[in-house]
Amino acid sequence: MFPYPSGELHMGHVRVYTLSDALARFRRLQGKEVIHPMGWDAFGLPAENAAIQRAVLPDQWTEANIQSMKKQIQSLCCSFDWEREIRTCDPSYYKWTQYIFLRLHEKNLVYQKEAMVNWDPVDETVLADEQIDVNGRSWRSGAKVQKKYLRQWFIRTRSFAQELLEGLRNLPHDWDEVAAIQRNWIGQCSGSFIEFDLKMDNRLMKEKLAVFTSEPEVLHGLSHINIAPISPLNKEAYYKGAAGGKVIPLKISAVSRVTQAEVPVFLNAEVDYGAMDYQNKPYLDSKLGVPSIDVADQKMAAVFGLPYCRVVGDDGRMLNSGELNGLDREEARRVMLARCKELRVGGDWTSPKLNDWCVSRQRYWGTPIPMIHCDSCGTVPAPYDQLPVVLPKLQPDQFQKGPSPLRQAAEWVKTACPRCGGPAHRETDTMDTFVDSSWYFMRYLDPNNDRLPFDPALVEPWVPVHLYIGGVEHALTHLFSARLFQYFFYRENMVSKPEPFHRFVTMGMVKGETFREQKTGQYVLAQDVEKKDGVLVTKSSGEGVTKTWEKMSKSKMNGISPQSIVDEYGVDFTRLTMLSYVAPTSDRHFEIEKAALRWMNQVWQLVVAFRKARELAGRGTTATSQSKTGLKEKEAALNDARNRCVRNVTYTFTEGFTVNAGIVQIQHLTKALKKFPPELSPMNLEYERALGDLLIMIFPTVPCMAAELWSAFSAVTTQPGFTKEPVVCQRWPQVDKEYHMPLLVTVNGHEAANIAMTGVEAEKLTMDDAIGLVKSKYAEKWQRWSSLPIISMQFKLHAGHHVELALEVEKPKKPTAQPESEEQSEKKEER
């Protein structure tokens, strides 16, 4: 996940980037081609606030922050490919964001309508939710925030609902938490939105009305449309009757482009509009009135004298429905949806719960929306050959007032209509920054392309992205918008696979020691706290203090600068502290891990001792297998420790990305090396191989120390598997073919059987072989498993670690209790 350039790295950044760097280095050592890019999610409100508060231009503030953060990241020795660096605020990048927007517009997947926003009446500007305090007041002016309708741009998220929902089924288990949340966001796909034109005083209005229905096939039987009180069409200017009633006829009528029928629209507070959201508001704000299939609609038609026709016969086939006549309802539904799609008035099977994505922002520092408004032609797209529509330069005092700062750039706003050539004006809203970050990972693959966002042929071998790492808070929204864009690229044949990411690591938070006064609840700096008589108190007042662990932040006075740790302990220790002891997905309580320092010192001493002893023995001496009393057993033990370490570290780095568990395994190998007799170790082949493998395996986590130690080790090593080249050029260690590599049988994710074999045997194994082995060694268990309906059976080689035969079976149903007989009931009463 690429960062917002705030100017300073925090420990959360360090945790994410050191993990991704460790895994990238590991894969390179395996001989893989690795793309490990970095970029900047560089548009956003903080830069605009800086223009107001510090009188510095957003582009200057952003650029200074990028340079500062880039220097900090580089100080962590992260192996990012800086040649692929991108910035979303660079015109060479947002040109293609605008291009994608226009492609969406071509496919009728972008539209403009009125939507409710937070309005500051003093500063005359739109506010994001986070700019409103707990009392509902603007953070800047202090004014009470109002709700106001403005015309906003939307992407038709609903068009992709069914595809996005079904795609969640095929994602790996890494996604379970995010998939459950996205599944809830999307909801059940149970109908389609159908768009109607609106008329008032016999003239077409700019607004359209999209109405959800689970029965689109009955559209020919429509007599009226109801809208809810929350609808943006609920305006007194539209009332035909007096306000105050529960059902008010409107001056507006709705015209179907499918049936050409024109029907009245009513404000109706009596209708059930369906499920409610967490604020107890209905997800839907309108409902079709079809009297022939709904009793309530029939009564309303009678009250208002609305004509209608019957559209479903007693045999379930369509009547009075044009081309649908004679079809059963299911087939008629398919035809109607296809017709709606053809006319671009809906037709996508979707969820009533999912909203289209509002991408308008009344801000300056964002991607300009490439649309032009003309009095004669209406709203038209900017031509592709005029992209990018570049942000004009504004001065800090032009950011103060108004619904959009871009309106201050009068010369920029004025333009010619690309259709008629007449006077027109540019759209002054900019895009939500999540639009920019919905496709950046694709640009990494082709960052210098000046013809397309990316070359489909070039990106083909690399998509989906193998691994995505990020914090769950931001990732939830970003992963949804990224999936949306990738499904659009898939529709447009720009990619061959619809999902953007394969594996996913949800990073836990980094928490710091936090101190608060018990009486006031105010946060206190750690250095202002002391312990007296076993109780924490403030040094200044002696007030009692409570200690907790909370997410690091300046406001909680518990933040620690990564640079301060690097300066005091070095970059390798800083990386090791963030990678060891705690799984990446768990929250980390940040503390200085003294045990990590001790282990680093132990590894250092092993290499120093080996180098010194080897030099004393003579550089020309070749290591041999020595025959001393008990040596074979010690060599065998070290060989087992080395193989076990290589096997487990490779597995943890590859499968679960639990680098912390891999570090533990390397520490076990360190102990095994320390136990080996020091007088024998300098010239022992087994010892030399284990020490060299250990240095290669620590390189992903502590690269500077590993490079230094390898330089010393390689100068005296005689092992044929090692070279004099730097450690970065070595190959990841391999498990001996003769070492044991078991066949594990799992049933519904739980280990059920374990069959021992060597790596040679395991790598030759087929699924049929594995089933045969299980049947012969675990006949009774196999009979029990196979007696249940088998949902799936998968055979997978986890290279160097184990072979897995994974069965998913239906769980046996619990027997239902039999009803008591009369005799049993009588005996129970007697007892």
Side-chain angles (χ1 to χ4, degrees), residues 375-542:
D375 289 339
S376 301
C377 304
T379 301
V380 296
Y384 285 104
D385 61 9
Q386 290 184 15
L387 301 182
V389 176
V390 179
L391 280 170
K393 293 287 185 182
L394 294 183
Q395 295 306 310
D397 60 1
Q398 293 180 288
F399 292 93
Q400 295 295 330
K401 292 251 184 188
S404 174
L406 281 175
R407 294 186 183 181
Q408 305 291 323
E411 292 304 312
W412 180 85
V413 172
K414 292 178 185 176
T415 189
C417 173
R419 284 190 186 163
C420 68
H425 63 276
R426 296 189 187 279
E427 173 61 59
T428 54
D429 283 358
T430 54
M431 295 187 208
D432 179 1
T433 56
F434 275 100
V435 179
D436 305 295
S437 62
S438 293
W439 72 281
Y440 72 97
F441 48 92
M442 299 299 295
R443 188 66 178 176
Y444 279 146
L445 298 172
D446 197 6
N448 300 313
N449 194 325
D450 59 2
R451 298 178 299 102
L452 291 167
F454 52 85
D455 183 340
L458 184 65
V459 305
E460 172 60 26
W462 295 98
V463 291
V465 175
H466 177 71
L467 178 61
Y468 178 95
I469 304 172
V472 71
E473 293 170 314
H474 179 79
L476 285 175
T477 307
H478 171 253
L479 289 173
F480 186 83
S481 59
R483 292 185 69 226
L484 173 70
F485 267 52
Q486 200 76 352
Y487 271 80
F488 173 67
F489 296 154
Y490 181 67
R491 283 189 188 180
E492 295 295 292
N493 296 315
M494 296 166 72
V495 294
S496 63
K497 302 175 190 72
E499 290 294 339
F501 310 111
H502 179 51
R503 301 295 304 276
F504 172 48
V505 176
T506 309
M507 296 296 289
M509 289 188 292
V510 180
K511 296 183 175 182
E513 267 190 323
T514 311
F515 300 93
R516 299 181 77 170
E517 286 190 1
Q518 292 172 353
K519 281 187 177 180
T520 65
Q522 289 184 332
Y523 289 100
V524 184
L525 288 168
Q527 57 262 38
D528 295 336
V529 175
E530 63 182 354
K531 186 175 279 190
K532 281 189 176 180
D533 301 325
V535 178
L536 292 173
V537 296
T538 60
K539 291 178 180 178
S540 56
S541 65

Side-chain angles (χ1 to χ4, degrees), residues 190-194 212-221 258-259 288 318 324 329 332-337 340 347 349:
S190 57
S192 177
F193 283 89
I194 298 177
F212 183 84
T213 176
S214 57
E215 302 171 298
E217 68 276 12
V218 300
L219 193 59
H220 286 270
V258 180
T259 66
L288 298 182
M318 304 307 296
L324 306 183
R329 292 188 67 170
R333 185 172 301 164
R334 282 196 292 269
V335 173
M336 178 58 77
L337 292 174
C340 289
W349 201 249

Side-chain angles (χ1 to χ4, degrees), residues 9 68 72 99 105 223 237 259 336 408 458 522 593 595 604 644 681 714 725 762 807:
L9 283 188
S68 173
Q72 293 170 63
Y99 171 92
H105 184 266
S223 67
T259 66
M336 178 58 77
Q408 305 291 323
L458 184 65
Q522 289 184 332
E593 300 285 359
W604 189 277
R644 186 169 60 253
S681 59
S714 63
E725 296 294 318
L807 280 73

Side-chain angles (χ1 to χ4, degrees), residues 614 617-625 682-685 688 718-719:
R614 179 59 65 85
R619 285 181 180 273
T621 307
T622 301
T624 60
S625 181
M683 304 306 296
N684 187 276
L685 280 170
E688 185 176 350
T718 57
Q719 274 277 359

Side-chain angles (χ1 to χ4, degrees), residues 145-191:
V145 174
Q146 302 171 354
K147 293 292 184 180
K148 183 175 181 177
Y149 281 101
L150 287 179
R151 289 190 67 77
Q152 306 278 282
W153 287 97
F154 290 82
I155 293 176
R156 294 188 194 273
T157 316
R158 291 166 174 165
S159 174
F160 296 87
Q162 187 78 14
E163 297 158 79
L164 291 169
L165 192 62
E166 290 176 356
L168 294 173
R169 298 176 186 169
N170 304 318
L171 295 173
H173 287 302
D174 312 340
W175 286 78
D176 286 351
E177 181 185 2
V178 170
I181 294 169
Q182 288 197 11
R183 202 172 283 114
N184 181 57
W185 282 351
I186 296 169
Q188 183 180 357
C189 293
S190 57

Side-chain angles (χ1 to χ4, degrees), residues 625-699:
S625 181
Q626 301 145 320
S627 53
K628 301 282 185 181
T629 304
L631 181 61
K632 292 297 180 185
E633 290 80 2
K634 292 180 174 62
E635 285 183 330
L638 188 56
N639 177 274
D640 181 72
R642 187 197 67 81
N643 274 299
R644 186 169 60 253
C645 180
V646 173
R647 187 184 76 172
N648 291 337
V649 173
T650 304
Y651 181 73
T652 56
F653 276 41
T654 304
E655 298 290 334
F657 313 115
T658 47
V659 172
N660 60 299
I663 292 170
V664 171
Q665 295 297 319
I666 296 171
Q667 289 170 341
H668 289 329
L669 179 57
T670 307
K671 290 177 182 177
L673 284 161
K674 286 180 67 182
K675 286 181 180 178
F676 200 81
E679 69 277 10
L680 302 177
S681 59
M683 304 306 296
N684 187 276
L685 280 170
E686 197 62 56
Y687 182 90
E688 185 176 350
R689 185 184 181 197
L691 181 58
D693 283 356
L694 181 140
L695 295 179
I696 294 170
M697 287 189 287
I698 69 171
F699 176 67

